Amino acid sequence: MEVFLNWNFIQELILSTIRMATPILIVALAELYSERAGMVNIGLDGIMAFGALIGFLVSYSTGQPLLGVLAGAVGGIVINSVYAFCTIHLGAEQIVYGMAINIFAPAIASFLYKIKFGISSSLAQATLMQEMPIPVLSSIPVIGKLLFSHTPIIYLAYLLVPLSYVFFSKTKAGLNYKAVGEFPKAAETMGIPVVRTKYLACMICGALAGIGGAYLTTCYISTYSDGVVSGRGFIALSAVIFGRWMPGGVLLAALLFGFTDALQIRLQVLNSSTPYQLLAMIPYLCTLFVLAFFGIKKAGPAANGRPYFREER
Amino acid sequence: MKQKFMALMMALAMVMTAFTGCSSSTESTSKDTTTENTASEPTAAETEESTPDTVYKVAMICDSSIADGGWGAACYNAMVAAAEKYGFETQYTDGLTSADFASSLRSYADLGFSLIFAPGNQYTDAVVEVAADYPEVSFALLNGTVEADNIVSLLPDAEQIGYMAGALAGLMSKTNQIGFIGGMELDTTKAKLASYEAAAKAVNPNIQVVSAYANSFSDSAKGKEIADSMVTASDVDVMFGDASAVDSGAREALANYEGRYDIGQPSDLLATQESAVVISSVVTDNATLIGLCMEDVKAGTFGNKTIYGNLSNGTLSVGTFSDAVPAEIQTQYLELVDKIKEGTFIQ
């Protein structure tokens, strides 16, 4: 027991939680922006994979991880514009096109990687983004190291949470944005540009999901390999539902996933004799438990997932 | 009208990219159509074998990527090297989920491939199922334990691999804590872990082994977290892994600390790259093993055997050492490897 109460252990656990929760948080926010405008995008995993590759390629060839992250955002927008065009303009089924993205985006990423690097017994290495301790704040004992000495992307992710809260709940633009997801017809009659908002939502979603993918290959590890995303997009998708379509809820959900995952790794390391499958289940069991405990009231945007036809009655 | 056209174009573009992503070995694409036609008849394989200018083809399926810088890449390169030697054409499909193993094997069998290479224990069920329906196609199962008329198992000795890694880890560890990362709990992984532990304890009785599974072969970020937690929570200083891309993530974490080392497999990592972390590799020469299968396919003697890979027949060997391994430990280690080879290391 004393192993767990050791300060060093707790500190490493918290740092690990923050690292593991960040990609899930960024991508869950991407989905939040998408679904608030009524666009269910289950293609997050695919967008992440593409963002991870583009981010890696740019960071590898320029030596600038920050440029890589930006490129990842652009890559995410490009991939997601396929989804946006088909679902908004052509009124296609959102789930089907999201799934299509999940199939074709990782395939393109894998294809491009093989063209560039071939098949060798070692992975190409890029530079990793340096941590950027915030002056003054990072010298506060205890909290400084835990909260204020990370890569810029981590600050961005956590800063986005209160910003999104203010946007969605306190600004007129945010309320208009949410109206598109709730009742697009009424929104349109009030002069809110529904189609333009939906496109904007898809661009935000693509950019953030691309950043989430690029985070993996520019801030987390310095290599790209197929499958590096490993289902994080789907976990982010559930984090949105879990967080009841609220920025704060999404943050809590991402942190819960990150914490339980970090914890199960440490439990495995400390008790090698326990079957690992039991410990690997912890993050998912926690989700089930919390969902059952809090109940799933219908909380999502009312017109979520429905195509919008302007002239339909 | 314009919208419909655009939709069509986009769908077309998506389908095309999806296909190019899956399989892109260019050498046999031009001949694919011709062999496909002949192979649709069940007798095609027999006629193929009887004609002197038969084109032999080998295909590989893989659940990870073949560009994963680990297991997948090593197996693919081994197949290509062997194929060059024996004049086979190659093809592969990677990134498969376990639900697709059987259907992918089936489509290669339908396409008239003479040999299908499944590089891992996890494909056993799919291979057994499909092989029963295609008696004329030969299947090579790496790390397999089944034998049939058209299935040959290639079995690098997991026990010896574990002994080799464990002995070196035991000699090199200063903190008496060594680590092991597994991808999935496969039989061979469990065997490697058990013998890794046994060997390390035989060399240094105070050694403690810490192990963890990533539940993935591709999540390198998780590999980094696992290695990080092993170092910070258990002060592990030498690690060995059986999880391809996950291992490269682990090595990246170890590089952030002083005096933390990793033992590579299955290719000789230090022969192709510089690394401050890798101290040596346990090398498996899969190319020779697959080559033996190809020989049998050509001679028509394929089936009903297991080709073992061990130190005695040269399929297992010690890789390049890094400067971090002192000369006396190298000699000590090589003596131990000789004992492992003779079977006198651990009775």
Side-chain angles (χ1 to χ4, degrees), chain A residues 254-298:
Chain A
L255 284 175
L256 182 72
F257 277 121
F259 174 74
T260 45
D261 214 3
L263 185 68
Q264 70 93 1
I265 287 180
R266 279 162 179 77
L267 290 178
Q268 276 200 50
V269 168
L270 294 171
N271 305 287
S272 294
S273 51
T274 319
Y276 83 96
Q277 291 91 340
L278 276 180
L279 298 170
M281 266 192 298
I282 292 178
Y284 309 98
L285 280 180
C286 271
T287 316
L288 267 180
F289 181 75
V290 176
L291 273 179
F293 196 69
F294 287 105
I296 332 163
K297 211 174 58 191
K298 175 72 184 145

Side-chain angles (χ1 to χ4, degrees), chain A residues 119-190:
Chain A
I119 297 145
S120 82
S121 53
S122 59
L123 297 169
Q125 286 232 330
T127 23
L128 214 54
M129 194 180 290
Q130 290 300 310
E131 283 166 2
M132 195 182 75
I134 296 178
V136 186
L137 287 179
S138 62
S139 48
I140 303 174
V142 186
I143 306 173
K145 183 163 190 300
L146 291 182
L147 300 181
F148 300 110
S149 7
H150 294 286
T151 52
I153 305 303
I154 294 188
Y155 303 136
L156 171 81
Y158 290 90
L159 212 64
L160 269 174
V161 176
L163 288 181
S164 302
Y165 171 76
V166 171
F167 173 72
F168 282 127
S169 310
K170 306 285 176 203
T171 66
K172 187 165 172 248
L175 292 174
N176 284 351
Y177 190 103
K178 281 204 291 192
V180 171
E182 297 290 345
F183 198 173
K185 250 180 189 77
E188 184 93 52
T189 53
M190 296 305 288

Side-chain angles (χ1 to χ4, degrees), chain A residues 3 8-9 12 15-17 19-20 81-82 85-86 89-90 97 100-101 103-104 107-108 110-111 113-114 118-123 125 128 216 219-230 232 261-262 264-266 268-273 275-277 280 284, chain B residues 3-4 6-7 10-11 13-14 17-18 20-22 24 64-70 72-74 76-77 92 94 183-185 209-216 218-222 224-226 228-230 232-234 236 245 248-249 252 257 267-269 272-273:
Chain A
V3 194
N8 201 28
F9 177 83
E12 288 298 328
L15 283 174
S16 175
T17 300
R19 281 195 301 264
M20 295 179 95
S81 60
V82 176
F85 179 79
C86 295
H89 225 81
L90 307 177
Y97 272 81
I101 299 269
I103 295 167
F104 98 108
I108 293 183
S110 155
F111 179 56
Y113 184 83
K114 277 174 206 159
I119 297 145
S120 82
S121 53
S122 59
L123 297 169
Q125 286 232 330
L128 214 54
L216 291 174
C219 305
Y220 213 142
I221 38 167
S222 58
T223 53
Y224 170 87
S225 59
D226 288 342
V228 68
V229 175
S230 293
R232 287 186 175 80
D261 214 3
Q264 70 93 1
I265 287 180
R266 279 162 179 77
Q268 276 200 50
V269 168
L270 294 171
N271 305 287
S272 294
S273 51
Y276 83 96
Q277 291 91 340
Y284 309 98
Chain B
Q3 284 183 357
K4 276 208 177 129
M6 284 295 287
M10 286 192 140
M14 267 159 82
T17 42
T20 42
C22 286
S24 55
S64 63
S65 163
I66 58 158
D68 62 356
Y76 179 75
N77 287 333
Y92 69 89
D94 63 351
M184 303 273 180
E185 204 171 27
V209 178
V210 172
S211 71
Y213 285 87
N215 216 0
S216 158
S218 53
D219 194 345
S220 35
K222 189 161 258 178
K224 190 171 182 179
E225 285 295 339
I226 292 177
D228 221 39
S229 65
M230 282 189 175
T232 54
S234 299
V236 162
S248 60
E252 210 169 295
Y257 300 93
S267 57
D268 189 1
L269 294 179
T272 51
Q273 63 179 319

Side-chain angles (χ1 to χ4, degrees), chain B:
Chain B
M1 194 58 219
K2 206 174 115 199
Q3 284 183 357
K4 276 208 177 129
F5 177 72
M6 284 295 287
L8 198 73
M9 289 304 288
M10 286 192 140
L12 210 69
M14 267 159 82
V15 168
M16 275 167 65
T17 42
F19 273 118
T20 42
C22 286
S23 63
S24 55
S25 179
T26 46
E27 35 195 320
S28 64
T29 38
S30 57
K31 283 164 192 157
D32 257 3
T33 38
T34 50
T35 37
E36 205 178 324
N37 291 338
T38 51
S40 52
E41 307 286 321
T43 51
E46 290 155 36
T47 42
E48 248 185 59
E49 270 161 35
S50 56
T51 46
D53 58 339
T54 312
V55 182
Y56 287 100
K57 298 200 290 182
V58 56
M60 168 177 147
I61 63 164
C62 195
D63 54 1
S64 63
S65 163
I66 58 158
D68 62 356
W71 184 258
C75 290
Y76 179 75
N77 287 333
M79 177 182 78
V80 170
E84 239 163 57
K85 189 171 167 198
Y86 292 97
F88 276 58
E89 285 184 357
T90 63
Q91 189 72 265
Y92 69 89
T93 307
D94 63 351
L96 290 170
T97 57
S98 43
D100 297 328
F101 293 165
S103 61
S104 182
L105 289 171
R106 247 172 235 287
S107 41
Y108 277 122
D110 282 333
L111 283 169
F113 279 78
S114 23
L115 177 64
I116 299 175
F117 174 42
N121 192 265
Q122 64 269 41
Y123 309 104
T124 308
D125 292 342
V127 165
V128 169
E129 179 199 323
V130 176
D133 296 343
Y134 294 89
E136 76 282 6
V137 181
S138 308
F139 293 84
L141 183 62
L142 186 58
N143 281 336
T145 43
V146 286
E147 292 175 18
D149 285 343
N150 58 342
I151 303 176
V152 163
S153 285
L154 310 174
L155 197 57
D157 194 330
E159 197 174 64
Q160 287 192 349
I161 293 173
Y163 283 159
M164 287 165 75
L168 184 57
L171 290 172
M172 284 296 290
S173 176
K174 293 197 176 67
T175 61
N176 290 338
Q177 297 277 348
I178 61 172
F180 179 90
I181 299 183
M184 303 273 180
E185 204 171 27
L186 306 175
D187 289 350
T188 46
T189 305
K190 280 195 283 189
K192 280 176 195 174
L193 173 56
S195 47
Y196 175 70
E197 186 164 1
K201 285 194 168 144
V203 173
N204 176 355
N206 297 324
I207 283 278
Q208 291 291 320
V209 178
V210 172
S211 71
Y213 285 87
N215 216 0
S216 158
F217 289 106
S218 53
D219 194 345
S220 35
K222 189 161 258 178
K224 190 171 182 179
E225 285 295 339
I226 292 177
D228 221 39
S229 65
M230 282 189 175
V231 172
T232 54
S234 299
D235 201 17
V236 162
D237 67 345
V238 184
M239 292 184 60
F240 178 57
D242 197 29
S244 30
V246 175
D247 292 336
S248 60
R251 282 193 279 277
E252 210 169 295
L254 296 178
N256 294 333
Y257 300 93
E258 282 281 305
R260 312 282 164 169
Y261 304 114
D262 189 62
I263 300 165
Q265 72 150 349
S267 57
D268 189 1
L269 294 179
L270 287 175
T272 51
Q273 63 179 319
E274 295 269 313
S275 170
V277 171
V278 181
I279 44 175
S280 185
S281 312
V282 178
V283 185
T284 311
D285 185 5
N286 289 326
T288 309
L289 291 175
I290 304 165
L292 291 172
C293 287
M294 291 178 175
E295 237 170 53
D296 283 357
V297 167
K298 283 191 151 176
T301 56
F302 191 88
N304 285 324
K305 67 173 168 183
T306 300
I307 303 175
Y308 292 96
N310 48 34
L311 283 161
S312 320
N313 65 12
T315 340
L316 294 184
S317 57
V318 178
T320 318
F321 286 107
S322 80
D323 299 338
V325 189
E328 66 266 30
I329 289 190
Q330 287 189 22
T331 32
Q332 218 179 330
Y333 175 60
L334 291 174
E335 277 166 21
L336 289 177
V337 171
D338 278 337
K339 278 191 185 169
I340 297 171
K341 186 174 173 179
E342 290 155 13
T344 55
F345 177 55
I346 294 175
Q347 303 296 344

